[in-house]
């Protein structure tokens, strides 16, 4: 099949998958992993532990059999399925470091002819890439839909969307674009505007003024507005709007959902930035409707904040923090590297993924949803200590070419 | 330095000054005016007077019971990330750096004649004499990774008879003060200490830094890239910035070199070069290149021996404290190397304890790939090189950053390697074991540090 046709087909598959899923809100279930996917995404009661164990065991067996990379990794660590005897053994399943996906395309055979490529936004330098088959995509959509529904973000009232994300016309593989796009299906869509587009030189242009104009138009229309994506750009739009028109008076039931690209656009909206204070000061939005979303391209699970701003772990996943000095698993409330487990992706061996983000897992949120949640502290690695030795981060800076203009 | 009451200690022209916080810009301005006044008075101590003070200092610091040496040990053990064992070993050697004979050797090596400061010295050419004068006001900007570097820089400034200011690193605000007070203790005649200030302010304070940029004759910078960029801005036309920015060093092991060497001794020396300063000095190797013609068996023996040497080094000089980020960087390097092995099938060994104390990544077949720096903290990446040409190609895009090349070569190979690698940008070649311990009187970063701190005047007849 000619490459252009393959690319076009991939796109059709992805768009069709999203559209079809949101038409029926269901998909054809295949194995024990799908038993985990219910309309109660935060229900850890009853047989959940057994179901999760079975799903992880199935997932391990599948990736071990169909990913040479993962099998070799496990063989090297002397780990096979017999080691997953109890629920607690799940924590020992060999991990792949998320950065590995920035260097290599690693897949698991599924028998699917075509898969959709998903890439990270690459705001920290390199993009990670994974392939999603249709089943994994459907699981992702199902899970996302029910997470948002349980959190009260699914509505039958139409909304206008401003996506601080790349226009899919630039690169339809980018995960943040896709996750933001998925979120536009959680209500009937009136209008969708992408704030990042390609410029004449082939770079990325932030359409700040157009975004402000569009926000004004949406506010005048009076339908709920949902602003999704990179926090840096949201704040820029809010600041620009305020300069022109005063405080942003969002219509009722509007939402701001930040996520993607970590906080790499840095100052003035980087680590330590008080996002909630900013929106409280510059808009009329109910802060309970400002949510941050933690998700990774390599891990098709959404950790969405509840009204108390805690990122809930859904029951298709498990999370722990690991001590970066020993790799030992830490207890609730202890900060370390975030380690995520989920069996939902079939086409890539990411059932056990060690991230390079610092965070901690708390046991139980006092909100109505309850259950464990994540607190993400920041990106790990690349020490800021002053040294006269040429360091890796310097090497990246010396060699890196700026491709994204913001 | 802050004491138990949270008071702030600095050393200003021979006086210990205690304040609630670091000096504001207007106080720094006064400090610099005073420095200028001293310079304008034109009274410069003789080299003999200076070395007499150093003789007394050297004798004191050679004594393990010397109170200030003990204070320095305690302070560095508490504040620096290095292990007490390593700090103790450095302080054991410190007295040698203060000895007049060492300093004279340095002056002679770098300035061409040990008697040239303030006195005309005849040159080889007939009727030509040279005389060396101090440049005037010198600021030394310290980096935090090698606590001795700023002290040596300060000593260079002192022996070239300048008026010196040392900006302490945030990571070490004790040892320079202890050393300054030690100078005062043995400088009853006031030869050095009234011309010396050791201060601290938070790096990046433009008001303060601009004052120095406008008033110094020389600024000697030690440290990383970002800070260097800041110091390069707004310099007056009279101020010379001496840049000792970030650099990279590596090692090379040839087949002939390995054949003629005592393997255990070589790997012990390499382990020392890797472990010293926990690899954070610019002259520590980040990568080792082994000639491809070294057989797999020989290379295997080399790796085994290096593993043993790093273990021994670890026992004698345990690694210092590291931040979580540093651990993550080492872990990432290990994981990515393992992934490369699994994806490409290339034989790559990742060796090292679970505690990340040291790491060897041996890419047994890799060659001709872009050079990659290590995450430091005793992490050595070992690769093959096909030929000297191929090795040179690896570094051609990094020539500005090249510094020391440690070698295990046959003596007949050294000249060829030296010519090629020096033309590429390397500023020093030396056998393993002394990569971070350069010989006195030799250039650093391609130039003579003392020459940067003085003015030469030629007298023709």
């Amino acid at each position: 099949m000619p490459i252009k046709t393959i690319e076009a087909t991939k796109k059709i598959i992805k768009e069709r998958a999203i559209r079809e899923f949101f038409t029926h809100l269901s998909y054809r279930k295949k194995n024990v992993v799908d038993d985990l996917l219910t309309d109660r995404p935060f229900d850890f009661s009853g047989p959940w532990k057994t179901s999760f164990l079975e799903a992880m065991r199935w997932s391990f067996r599948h990736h071990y059999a169909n990913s040479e990379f993962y099998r070799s990794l496990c063989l090297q660590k002397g780990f096979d399925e017999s080691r997953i005897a109890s629920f607690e053994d799940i924590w020992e399943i060999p991990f792949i470091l998320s950065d590995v996906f920035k260097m290599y395309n690693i897949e698991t055979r599924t028998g699917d002819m075509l898969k959709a490529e998903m890439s990270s936004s690459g705001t920290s330098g390199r993009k990670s890439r994974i392939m999603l088959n249709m089943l994994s995509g459907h699981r992702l959509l199902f899970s996302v839909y029910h997470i948002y529904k349980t959190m009260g973000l699914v509505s039958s009232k139409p909304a206008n969307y401003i996506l601080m994300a790349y226009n899919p016309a630039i690169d339809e593989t980018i995960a943040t674009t896709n996750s933001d796009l998925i979120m536009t299906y959680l209500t009937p869509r009136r209008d969708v505007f992408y704030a990042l587009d390609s410029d004449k030189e082939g770079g990325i242009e932030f359409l700040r003024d157009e975004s402000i104009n569009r926000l004004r138009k949406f506010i005048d229309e009076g339908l709920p507005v949902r602003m999704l994506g990179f926090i840096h750009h949201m704040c820029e739009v809010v600041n620009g709007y305020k300069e022109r028109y005063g405080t942003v008076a969002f219509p009722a039931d509007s939402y701001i959902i930040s996520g993607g690209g970590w906080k790499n656009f840095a100052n003035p909206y980087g680590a330590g930035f008080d996002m909630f204070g900013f929106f409280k000061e510059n808009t009329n939005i109910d802060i309970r409707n400002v949510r941050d979303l933690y998700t990774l391209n390599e891990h098709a699970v959404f950790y969405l904040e509840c009204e108390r701003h805690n990122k809930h772990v859904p029951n298709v996943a498990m999370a722990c923090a690991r001590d970066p000095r020993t790799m030992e698993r830490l207890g609730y409330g202890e900060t370390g590297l975030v380690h995520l487990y989920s069996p939902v992706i079939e086409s890539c061996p990411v059932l056990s993924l060690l991230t390079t983000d610092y965070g901690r897992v708390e046991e139980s949120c006092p909100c109505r949803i309850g259950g464990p949640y994540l607190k993400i502290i920041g990106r790990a690695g690349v020490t800021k200590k002053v040294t006269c030795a040429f360091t890796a981060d310097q090497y990246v800076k010396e060699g890196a070419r700026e491709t994204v203009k913001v | 330095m802050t004491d138990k009451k949270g008071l702030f200690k600095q050393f200003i022209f021979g006086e210990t000054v205690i304040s609630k916080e670091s000096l504001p810009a207007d106080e720094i301005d006064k400090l610099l005016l005073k420095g200028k006044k001293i310079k304008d008075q034109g009274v410069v101590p003789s080299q003999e007077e200076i070395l007499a003070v150093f003789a007394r200092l050297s004798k004191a610091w050679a004594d393990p019971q010397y109170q200030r040496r003990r204070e320095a040990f305690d302070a560095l053990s508490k504040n620096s990330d290095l292990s007490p064992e390593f700090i103790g070993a450095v302080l054991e050697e410190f007295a040698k750096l203060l000895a007049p004979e060492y300093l004279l050797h340095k002056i002679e090596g770098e300035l061409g004649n040990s008697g040239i400061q303030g006195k005309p010295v005849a040159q080889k050419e007939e009727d030509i004499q040279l005389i060396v004068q101090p440049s005037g006001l010198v600021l030394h900007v310290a980096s935090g990774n090698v606590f001795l570097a700023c002290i040596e820089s300060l000593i260079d400034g002192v022996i070239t008879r300048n008026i010196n200011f040392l900006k302490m690193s945030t990571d070490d605000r004790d040892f320079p003060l202890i050393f300054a007070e030690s100078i005062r203790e043995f400088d009853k005649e006031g030869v050095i200490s009234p011309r010396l200030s050791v201060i601290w302010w938070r790096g990046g304070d433009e008001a303060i830094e601009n004052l120095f940029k406008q008033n110094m004759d020389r600024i000697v910078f030690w440290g990383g890239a970002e800070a260097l960029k800041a110091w390069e801005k707004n310099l007056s036309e009279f101020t010379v910035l001496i840049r000792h920015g970030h650099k990279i060093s590596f090692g090379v092991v040839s087949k002939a070199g390995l054949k003629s060497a005592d393997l255990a001794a070589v790997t012990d020396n390499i382990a020392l070069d890797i472990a010293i300063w926990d690899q954070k000095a610019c002259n520590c190797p980040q990568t080792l290149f082994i000639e491809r013609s070294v057989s797999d068996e020989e290379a295997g023996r080399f790796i085994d021996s290096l593993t043993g040497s790093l273990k021994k080094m670890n026992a004698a000089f345990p690694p210092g404290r590291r931040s979580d980020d540093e651990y993550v960087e080492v872990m990432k390097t290990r994981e990515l190397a393992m992934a490369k092995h699994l994806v490409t099938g290339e034989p790559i060994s990742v060796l090292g304890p679970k505690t990340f104390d040291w790491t060897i990544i041996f890419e047994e077949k890799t060659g001709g790939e872009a050079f990659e720096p290590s995450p430091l903290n005793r992490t050595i990446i070992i690769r093959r090189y096909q030929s000297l040409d191929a090795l040179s190609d690896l570094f051609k895009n990094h020539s500005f950053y090249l510094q020391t090349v440690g070698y295990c070569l046959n003596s007949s190979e050294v000249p060829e390697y030296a010519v090629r690698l020096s033309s590429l940008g390397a500023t020093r070649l030396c056998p393993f074991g002394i990569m971070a311990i350069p010989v006195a009187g030799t250039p650093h970063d391609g130039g003579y540090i003392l020459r940067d701190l003085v003015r030469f005047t030629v007298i023709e007849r």
Side-chain angles (χ1 to χ4, degrees):
Chain A
M1 202 184 298
I3 289 171
K4 271 193 174 176
T5 312
I6 292 173
E7 292 305 318
T9 313
K10 276 182 189 174
K11 197 170 175 180
I12 290 163
I13 283 176
K14 192 185 294 176
E15 286 176 359
R16 200 174 63 193
I18 295 173
R19 203 170 49 245
E20 280 180 3
F21 175 82
F22 281 102
T23 305
H24 306 293
L25 296 178
S26 65
Y27 70 98
R28 185 188 288 180
K29 300 195 171 191
K30 186 179 166 188
N31 54 46
V32 290
V33 175
D34 299 299
D35 293 344
L36 279 177
L37 289 138
T38 70
D39 57 3
R40 296 186 309 282
F42 301 108
D43 182 0
F44 293 89
S45 64
W48 175 77
K49 275 191 174 180
T50 310
S51 300
F52 195 84
L53 173 62
E54 284 309 310
M56 286 299 283
R57 203 183 270 145
W58 191 96
S59 178
F60 180 86
R61 197 182 310 131
H62 165 69
H63 292 295
Y64 191 90
N66 296 298
S67 165
E68 282 166 31
F69 179 91
Y70 195 62
R71 184 169 56 254
S72 304
L73 181 80
C74 291
L75 285 171
Q76 202 152 53
K77 301 198 174 189
F79 195 96
D80 60 26
E81 195 192 339
S82 67
R83 298 272 298 274
I84 317 174
S86 71
F87 182 80
E88 287 298 309
D89 296 333
I90 293 170
W91 302 114
E92 307 309 318
I93 294 175
F95 66 80
I96 299 179
L97 183 71
S98 57
D99 280 37
V100 168
F101 294 96
K102 291 178 179 166
M103 306 292 289
Y104 305 106
N105 294 328
I106 299 166
E107 290 187 48
T108 302
R109 286 185 301 274
T110 59
D112 294 88
M113 287 292 287
L114 289 165
K115 298 170 191 172
E117 182 182 314
M118 304 286 273
S119 63
S120 62
S121 52
T123 46
S124 59
R126 281 179 165 137
K127 287 184 179 186
S128 72
R129 286 191 162 75
I130 67 157
M131 302 303 284
L132 273 192
N133 65 343
M134 189 71 96
L135 178 62
S136 304
H138 278 150
R139 286 173 177 165
L140 165 71
L141 294 169
F142 186 94
S143 164
V144 168
Y145 177 79
H146 287 287
I147 286 169
Y148 280 81
K149 193 170 183 204
T150 308
M151 292 275 191
L153 273 74
V154 172
S155 170
S156 58
K157 200 172 176 184
N160 282 307
Y161 287 86
I162 299 183
L163 273 54
M164 305 296 160
Y166 305 107
N167 189 322
I170 304 169
D171 186 348
E172 49 91 28
T173 68
I174 294 174
T176 48
T177 296
N178 285 302
S179 56
D180 292 344
L181 182 65
I182 291 167
M183 283 190 264
T184 66
Y185 283 87
L186 301 174
T187 70
R189 302 192 299 175
R190 174 59 63 90
D191 199 353
V192 178
F193 178 75
Y194 287 93
L196 300 178
D197 211 334
S198 57
D199 65 11
K200 286 173 190 166
E201 285 88 39
I204 305 288
E205 187 179 3
F206 171 36
L207 307 174
R208 184 176 179 271
D209 286 344
E210 289 91 327
S211 303
I212 295 166
N213 293 340
R214 199 59 74 99
L215 179 59
R216 179 67 179 179
K217 181 173 173 278
F218 289 169
I219 287 172
D220 286 347
E221 274 184 34
L223 289 174
V225 175
R226 292 194 172 196
M227 207 152 68
L228 317 172
F230 296 133
I231 183 70
H232 172 96
H233 302 91
M234 286 185 190
C235 295
E236 284 291 302
V237 170
V238 166
N239 275 331
Y241 186 98
K242 196 180 175 189
E243 277 168 25
R244 271 196 231 166
Y245 308 112
T247 301
V248 185
F250 282 107
D253 299 326
S254 292
Y255 277 90
I256 291 173
I257 303 171
S258 62
W262 187 231
K263 308 289 188 269
N264 285 307
F265 294 104
N267 294 324
Y269 315 115
F273 171 63
D274 176 11
M275 178 170 83
F276 304 113
F278 176 86
F279 287 118
K280 200 171 180 178
E281 193 182 327
N282 296 297
T283 77
N284 69 336
I285 202 157
D286 183 341
I287 290 306
R288 289 175 300 178
N289 286 8
V290 179
R291 311 284 181 95
D292 192 37
L293 170 68
Y294 178 67
T295 184
L296 290 94
N297 180 48
E298 308 85 23
H299 178 76
V301 176
F302 280 31
Y303 300 84
L304 180 66
E305 281 185 354
C306 65
E307 290 180 356
R308 289 173 178 260
H309 304 298
N310 292 325
K311 295 175 175 70
H312 280 248
V313 180
N315 60 12
V316 292
M318 278 174 33
C320 70
R322 289 200 178 268
D323 184 338
R325 292 156 190 258
T326 61
M327 289 295 123
E328 292 297 316
R329 182 162 62 97
L330 298 168
Y332 289 120
E334 293 183 281
T335 299
L337 287 174
V338 174
H339 189 162
L340 304 169
Y341 301 78
S342 177
V344 298
I345 296 186
E346 202 180 40
S347 45
C348 195
V350 287
L351 70 167
S352 169
L353 183 82
L354 183 66
T355 75
T356 51
D357 291 327
Y358 290 127
R360 62 178 190 271
V361 183
E362 298 289 355
E363 190 169 9
S364 184
C365 182
C367 76
R368 66 181 173 81
I369 293 161
Y373 61 91
L374 288 174
K375 282 287 183 189
I376 302 298
I377 313 293
R379 182 63 56 87
V382 182
T383 181
K384 302 290 183 290
K385 281 202 168 258
V386 176
T387 165
C388 59
F390 191 101
T391 51
D393 65 318
Q394 194 57 42
Y395 180 69
V396 171
K397 278 181 204 158
E398 298 294 339
R401 294 193 190 286
E402 195 65 50
T403 53
V404 180
K405 286 194 286 186
V406 290
Chain B
M1 180 194 252
T2 49
D3 69 6
K4 284 174 192 165
K5 293 173 191 163
L7 293 174
F8 202 85
K9 197 170 168 185
Q10 301 187 95
F11 186 91
I12 297 182
F13 292 127
E15 302 287 333
T16 299
V17 175
I18 294 174
S19 57
K20 284 185 179 170
E21 52 196 16
S22 59
L23 296 179
D26 56 338
E27 290 295 321
I28 294 283
D29 200 20
K30 286 180 199 162
L31 177 76
L32 298 187
L33 272 176
K34 189 172 176 187
K36 272 188 164 177
K37 213 171 174 182
I38 297 169
K39 181 185 166 186
D40 292 343
Q41 284 165 354
V43 181
V44 179
S46 72
Q47 183 175 290
E48 290 73 22
E49 289 172 311
I50 291 169
L51 293 184
V53 177
F54 275 103
R56 295 192 285 272
L57 277 167
S58 177
K59 194 176 168 196
W61 281 87
D63 177 5
Q65 298 310 313
Y66 174 48
Q67 191 198 335
R68 293 200 193 277
R69 176 167 158 179
R70 288 163 60 182
E71 275 174 32
F73 177 81
D74 290 344
L76 289 165
S77 299
K78 190 176 150 206
N79 299 333
S80 94
D81 290 338
L82 297 157
S83 68
E85 291 85 348
F86 179 75
I87 292 164
V90 173
L91 291 177
E92 183 65 33
E93 296 295 309
F94 182 52
K96 291 177 191 166
L97 303 180
L98 307 173
E101 49 274 29
Y102 173 88
L103 297 173
L104 274 171
H105 187 63
K106 190 176 200 173
I107 293 165
E108 184 166 8
E110 296 205 28
L111 300 182
N113 190 300
S114 61
I116 199 167
Q117 295 203 83
K119 293 175 204 152
V121 169
Q123 302 299 297
K124 280 179 189 167
E125 299 84 356
E126 281 180 18
D127 300 332
I128 296 282
Q129 288 182 307
L130 285 179
I131 185 168
V132 163
Q133 299 292 2
S135 56
L137 301 175
V138 178
L139 170 69
H140 307 262
V141 182
S143 68
N145 54 323
V146 180
F147 64 80
L148 215 49
C150 70
I151 303 293
E152 285 196 86
S153 189
L154 187 66
I155 294 169
D156 291 343
V158 170
I159 62 173
T160 45
R161 307 182 304 152
N162 287 292
I163 297 153
N164 293 280
F165 302 87
L166 170 65
K167 184 212 175 287
M168 291 180 281
S169 140
T170 302
D171 291 342
D172 179 16
R173 283 188 269 165
D174 289 307
F175 186 41
L177 281 169
I178 292 167
F179 182 60
E181 289 182 332
S182 174
I183 290 175
R184 185 178 59 199
E185 187 183 337
F186 294 101
D187 182 24
K188 302 291 181 210
E189 298 82 5
V191 173
I192 301 173
S193 52
R195 298 162 62 83
L196 172 65
S197 293
V198 178
I199 49 182
W200 179 85
W201 66 88
R202 191 162 294 287
D205 185 323
E206 282 190 25
I208 292 178
E209 289 175 4
N210 281 338
L211 285 172
F212 280 98
K213 288 172 185 177
Q214 295 302 310
N215 290 291
M216 290 294 104
D217 295 292
R218 302 284 187 274
I219 297 175
V220 187
F221 172 87
W222 300 90
E226 270 181 43
L228 176 58
K229 272 185 195 156
W231 279 101
E232 283 169 339
K233 288 178 200 162
N234 302 330
L235 289 167
S236 86
E237 60 183 302
F238 314 106
T239 305
V240 177
L241 178 68
I242 301 157
R243 306 175 344 153
H244 296 293
H246 54 297
K247 296 285 175 184
I248 195 155
S249 298
F250 67 92
V252 58
V253 177
S254 75
K255 183 183 165 84
L258 201 55
K259 197 176 174 187
S260 57
D262 172 345
L263 181 60
V266 167
T267 58
D268 280 354
N269 284 335
I270 294 173
L272 174 64
D273 289 333
I274 294 168
I276 196 167
W277 303 108
D278 280 337
Q279 213 178 1
K280 288 169 194 165
C282 47
N283 36 26
C284 297
Q286 300 197 28
T287 311
L288 279 185
F289 293 92
I290 302 178
E291 198 169 10
R292 191 178 292 285
S293 55
V294 172
S295 71
D296 289 349
E297 292 73 27
E298 285 173 294
R301 278 196 294 275
F302 175 84
I303 298 297
D304 288 346
S305 184
L306 182 58
T307 301
S309 297
L310 282 167
K311 282 182 187 169
K312 272 194 294 180
M313 185 59 61
N314 227 46
F317 296 106
R321 285 188 290 266
R322 296 177 196 172
S323 67
D324 284 352
D325 283 339
E326 289 175 284
Y327 277 94
V328 171
E329 286 300 314
V330 175
M331 181 273 289
K332 262 166 71 173
T333 303
R334 286 186 180 188
E335 292 296 323
L336 289 174
M338 192 47 65
K340 183 178 178 182
H341 162 64
L342 296 176
V343 169
T344 64
E346 283 179 32
I348 297 173
S349 310
V350 179
L351 307 168
K354 281 185 177 174
T355 50
F356 300 108
D357 284 353
W358 54 268
T359 301
I360 295 173
I361 293 172
F362 179 33
E363 303 195 358
E364 297 173 36
K365 300 290 178 197
T366 310
E369 280 195 3
F371 161 79
E372 276 180 47
S374 109
L376 312 181
N377 289 300
R378 308 187 182 197
T379 306
I380 190 79
I381 297 164
I382 304 180
R383 289 183 167 169
R384 296 283 202 154
Y385 71 100
Q386 184 70 42
S387 62
L388 186 50
D389 283 341
L391 183 64
S392 304
D393 281 347
L394 292 181
F395 288 93
K396 65 184 174 193
N397 293 328
H398 299 287
S399 58
F400 176 77
Y401 299 104
L402 280 188
Q403 203 207 53
T404 303
V405 180
Y407 63 75
C408 170
L409 301 169
N410 187 292
S411 56
S412 64
E413 294 174 313
V414 174
E416 190 190 358
Y417 275 75
V419 169
R420 285 300 296 277
L421 295 174
S422 65
S423 69
L424 200 63
T427 57
R428 180 168 164 248
L429 277 86
C430 65
F432 288 115
I434 55 167
M435 287 181 73
I437 312 166
V439 175
T442 58
H444 180 83
D445 283 345
Y448 289 101
I449 291 177
L450 296 192
R451 288 189 186 197
D452 288 332
L453 297 176
V454 298
R455 280 184 300 104
F456 279 87
T457 302
V458 59
I459 307 155
E460 300 173 23
R461 292 169 197 270

